[in-house]
């Protein structure tokens, strides 16, 4: 089993979470180190700037699920999967996989809070 940190459309309640339905959600966590999060319809996390800690969820996944996540994220050509350390709500540190993308669209906006969420308009479009 592998631990994966998700911060965008793979989180509970978002469009790609179905890929994690067979996986155990271990709860919320924040990245130990600071990164930059951008949004241009979908979120991008980059190692280029240490702006904020990223907030997300940690899942315990098997190899099949990890392979499916790699395919969704276009690893290693679009998003790149790397290991980082996150801080769980209970204060424990954990090593997890995260998907970084350094190919930020020019139209992307910085999410200074480190929390990706859909606007009300985007939610309506999903329904």
């Amino acid at each position: 089993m592998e631990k994966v940190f998700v911060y965008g459309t793979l989180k509970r309640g978002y469009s790609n979470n179905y890929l994690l339905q067979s996986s155990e959600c271990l709860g919320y966590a924040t990245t130990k180190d600071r990164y930059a999060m951008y949004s241009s319809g979908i979120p991008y996390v980059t190692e280029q700037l240490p702006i904020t800690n990223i907030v997300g969820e940690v899942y315990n996944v098997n190899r099949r699920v990890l392979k499916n996540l790699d395919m969704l994220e276009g690893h290693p050509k679009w998003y790149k999967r790397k290991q980082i350390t996150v801080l769980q709500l209970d204060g424990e540190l954990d090593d997890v996989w995260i998907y970084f993308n350094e190919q930020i669209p020019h139209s992307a906006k910085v999410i200074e809070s480190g929390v990706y969420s859909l606007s009300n308009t985007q939610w309506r479009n999903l329904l």
Side-chain angles (χ1 to χ4, degrees):
M1 298 294 277
E2 301 282 346
K3 292 179 182 174
V4 177
F5 177 79
V6 300
Y7 54 81
T9 64
L10 287 163
K11 294 189 305 184
R12 289 176 284 191
Y14 289 78
S15 60
N16 289 318
N17 184 258
Y18 72 93
L19 291 169
L20 295 166
Q21 284 181 343
S22 66
S23 302
E24 177 187 12
C25 181
L26 302 176
Y28 293 101
T30 61
T31 59
K32 180 180 171 228
D33 295 327
R34 292 174 178 253
Y35 303 102
M37 177 183 270
Y38 294 87
S39 179
S40 180
I42 58 172
Y44 300 80
V45 172
T46 174
E47 296 179 279
Q48 293 175 7
L49 296 169
I51 293 176
T52 190
N53 302 90
I54 308 302
V55 178
E57 300 168 352
V58 176
Y59 284 84
N60 223 8
V61 302
N62 62 33
R63 293 253 178 229
R64 180 185 52 79
V65 171
L66 189 62
K67 182 179 177 185
N68 288 338
L69 296 178
D70 284 350
M71 287 184 355
L72 172 74
E73 303 293 6
H75 170 72
K77 293 185 180 187
W78 193 37
Y79 282 83
K80 291 183 180 21
R81 180 167 46 89
K82 295 177 88 173
Q83 278 204 307
I84 64 163
T85 302
V86 296
L87 179 65
Q88 300 274 8
L89 287 180
D90 63 6
E92 292 292 317
L93 294 175
D94 217 346
D95 292 330
V96 298
W97 291 106
I98 186 175
Y99 290 93
F100 287 109
N101 191 326
E102 305 301 330
Q103 301 171 40
I104 309 302
H106 295 293
S107 62
K109 299 197 181 331
V110 174
I111 301 175
E112 292 184 23
S113 67
V115 179
Y116 175 76
S117 63
L118 294 173
S119 70
N120 289 336
T121 303
Q122 289 172 306
W123 273 113
R124 278 195 295 271
N125 290 339
L126 289 175
L127 299 176

